[in-house]
Amino acid sequence: MANSLRLYLACIKNTLEAAMCLQNFPCQEVERHNKPEVELKTSPELLLNPVLICRNEAEKCLIETSINSLRISLKVKQADELENILTKKFLRFLSMRAEAFQVLRRKPVQGYDISFLITNYHCEEMQKQKLIDFIIQFMEARYRERNKGLEGISEHKRKTRCYRVPETVHVKQQLSKDIAKVKDDQEWEIIETRKALSRTGPVDAYKPKNTSIEEELKVS
Amino acid sequence: MAEFVEADNAEAIIARIETKSRKIESLLKQYKHVEALKTALEGSPPKTRDERCKSANWIVVHRALMAIKDIDGMLNALDAEYYDILMKYLYRGLSTGDRPTCDQCLKIHEKLTERAGLGCILRCLTDTINTV
């Protein structure tokens, strides 16, 4: 099992090293615009073949490259419902703070759990090798944490000899996570509304009264 | 022009692939795994956009790939001109998601990258005309 993980990560690393050849390329269609071509996919000559690397039925990694950007989408295996929920919460937590990560994409690509978007600007500011190492270490850390978490749960199962108990043990953690989530959601909403306000201004600030001329004349 | 050629040749290519698969079966029975793989990779239909030819050829190559146990020996015996085509088929195998195929493809991918380098991978990514 460990060997197949090592091979999977080695394959992804080699593919990323080959695929991360990015250069600045201003948009061809619109003047003075510079867009990541892999997201828009407007011109086929700027895109390379997308590569899908599967480790098994549940885990895969999609690497799409273009001339100035590279998108990596990962799908991790989730063994049961509990893991599904935990993974979703964790990855959502990360995605909301995508600005701090710089290379993380706010929404994962359809069908995947998490996506990275690396542009030529990232390659200019940061070292290419370190970017690749970051992504590989991210995946390794995920697997290690998952295995540790599973070990903890199965350890507990053995001690109490009851399958239901892990659920109750996790309810408290779940509750505190829910509270944190609600707080995060509210924070996020506040930030987004503030941003929206700065773009458009308060929406119902100006409400002109729809009165016709006759009414005005009647009043006077 | 290219479409004309394909419509006529599609049947011919599929017939060729079938004869090839019979030859490969016989080679595999004689435990000549490297020969089988070479034969499978040789007749890769270039510039056909017909999905059936590509799938038919992929099935043949897949058969030959799964039968290989000694990867280092196989790569030693394979000529350098086949590395690119083999890499393309490896990526196709990795995209299937079938566990034994993926295991085998990942093993071969690592060894092949050591030999052929990153250029081989890059040629697979950039070649949009001769896709597998």
Side-chain angles (χ1 to χ4, degrees):
Chain A
M1 213 291 280
N3 198 32
S4 84
L5 175 66
R6 186 187 63 83
L7 285 174
Y8 177 56
L9 293 178
C11 179
I12 295 181
K13 184 163 192 239
N14 288 329
T15 317
L16 279 180
E17 275 186 37
M20 203 177 290
C21 42
L22 311 174
Q23 64 183 65
N24 189 20
F25 192 82
C27 182
Q28 290 185 126
E29 271 97 40
V30 186
E31 240 177 68
R32 295 161 79 161
H33 275 215
N34 200 318
K35 311 177 188 179
E37 294 295 334
V38 79
E39 295 283 347
L40 302 175
K41 297 196 167 76
T42 43
S43 320
E45 70 268 12
L46 302 174
L47 304 171
L48 274 65
N49 293 329
V51 149
L52 181 62
I53 301 171
C54 300
R55 184 184 170 197
N56 47 42
E57 295 81 10
E59 296 178 26
K60 51 188 176 168
C61 167
L62 176 67
I63 299 177
E64 304 161 279
T65 329
S66 71
I67 188 166
N68 61 359
S69 44
L70 160 69
R71 187 163 72 182
I72 307 153
S73 312
L74 302 170
K75 184 153 186 65
V76 239
K77 180 162 73 158
Q78 278 119 40
D80 56 10
E81 263 314 303
L82 180 65
E83 235 187 73
N84 199 4
I85 297 172
L86 289 175
T87 317
K88 258 206 237 159
K89 282 191 185 290
F90 177 62
L91 292 174
R92 195 164 162 274
F93 175 86
L94 289 181
S95 301
M96 290 210 308
R97 283 142 186 81
E99 297 213 4
F101 282 102
Q102 293 186 56
V103 292
L104 201 60
R105 197 172 182 258
R106 271 192 180 267
K107 283 195 81 153
V109 173
Q110 189 76 8
Y112 293 87
D113 289 334
I114 192 166
S115 294
F116 296 88
L117 177 68
I118 301 178
T119 59
N120 56 299
Y121 298 113
H122 296 141
C123 288
E124 284 163 22
E125 289 168 19
M126 304 182 250
Q127 290 183 24
K128 166 177 153 176
Q129 203 53 43
K130 296 280 193 311
L131 277 173
I132 297 171
D133 287 342
F134 167 69
I135 294 180
I136 303 291
Q137 276 167 17
F138 180 88
M139 295 176 73
E140 271 176 353
R142 260 317 278 130
Y143 282 109
R144 247 182 300 140
E145 271 180 37
R146 199 179 119 242
N147 290 341
K148 239 197 291 175
L150 283 180
E151 269 170 32
I153 292 177
S154 58
E155 186 62 37
H156 198 91
K157 265 196 231 175
R158 269 189 291 117
K159 282 191 187 154
T160 55
R161 273 186 238 157
C162 171
Y163 186 71
R164 280 279 140 199
V165 175
E167 310 259 319
T168 54
V169 161
H170 282 272
V171 159
K172 251 200 207 164
Q173 295 182 4
Q174 200 78 333
L175 265 179
S176 62
K177 279 193 187 142
D178 278 334
I179 296 175
K181 180 190 169 227
V182 169
K183 256 201 341 204
D184 285 338
D185 280 345
Q186 287 179 340
E187 255 181 55
W188 192 67
E189 258 188 65
I190 292 174
I191 296 174
E192 288 293 305
T193 34
R194 236 185 258 154
K195 276 201 221 157
L197 268 181
S198 62
R199 277 198 295 266
T200 62
V203 181
D204 21 335
Y206 173 58
K207 274 213 197 94
K209 279 187 276 186
N210 296 332
T211 48
S212 65
I213 294 206
E214 286 83 23
E215 281 180 17
E216 297 246 313
L217 291 174
K218 256 192 241 163
V219 167
S220 65
Chain B
M1 262 299 126
E3 283 82 16
F4 237 151
V5 172
E6 280 168 42
D8 294 340
N9 278 4
E11 304 305 322
I13 293 176
I14 293 189
R16 244 193 303 147
I17 294 175
E18 274 172 26
T19 45
K20 210 170 49 157
S21 73
R22 265 176 265 137
K23 217 178 12 162
I24 288 173
E25 289 291 326
S26 65
L27 280 171
L28 284 175
K29 286 209 189 85
Q30 300 163 29
Y31 296 108
K32 291 213 187 96
H33 299 294
V34 186
E35 301 295 325
L37 189 59
K38 263 197 215 171
T39 334
L41 293 175
E42 248 162 18
S44 309
K47 299 201 170 113
T48 352
R49 247 164 275 144
D50 190 359
E51 274 311 312
R52 290 174 299 155
C53 299
K54 295 195 188 173
S55 320
N57 209 42
W58 159 242
I59 294 171
V60 166
V61 172
H62 180 237
R63 181 93 183 72
L65 272 180
M66 295 309 288
I68 291 186
K69 303 281 182 291
D70 175 25
I71 301 174
D72 282 320
M74 182 265 289
L75 288 176
N76 276 330
L78 204 61
D79 304 320
E81 57 196 42
Y82 293 113
Y83 287 167
D84 284 350
I85 311 175
L86 179 58
M87 186 60 93
K88 288 185 190 166
Y89 277 114
L90 284 181
Y91 275 117
R92 181 151 181 177
L94 285 172
S95 65
T96 55
D98 175 40
R99 197 182 286 247
T101 320
C102 290
D103 279 339
Q104 181 81 341
C105 286
L106 283 174
K107 281 186 219 155
I108 304 180
H109 185 279
E110 194 197 5
K111 298 271 163 60
L112 186 57
T113 328
E114 277 169 37
R115 273 172 187 268
L118 298 174
C120 188
I121 302 182
L122 200 54
R123 280 189 288 274
C124 292
L125 290 175
T126 50
D127 199 349
T128 45
I129 304 178
N130 305 330
T131 52
V132 157

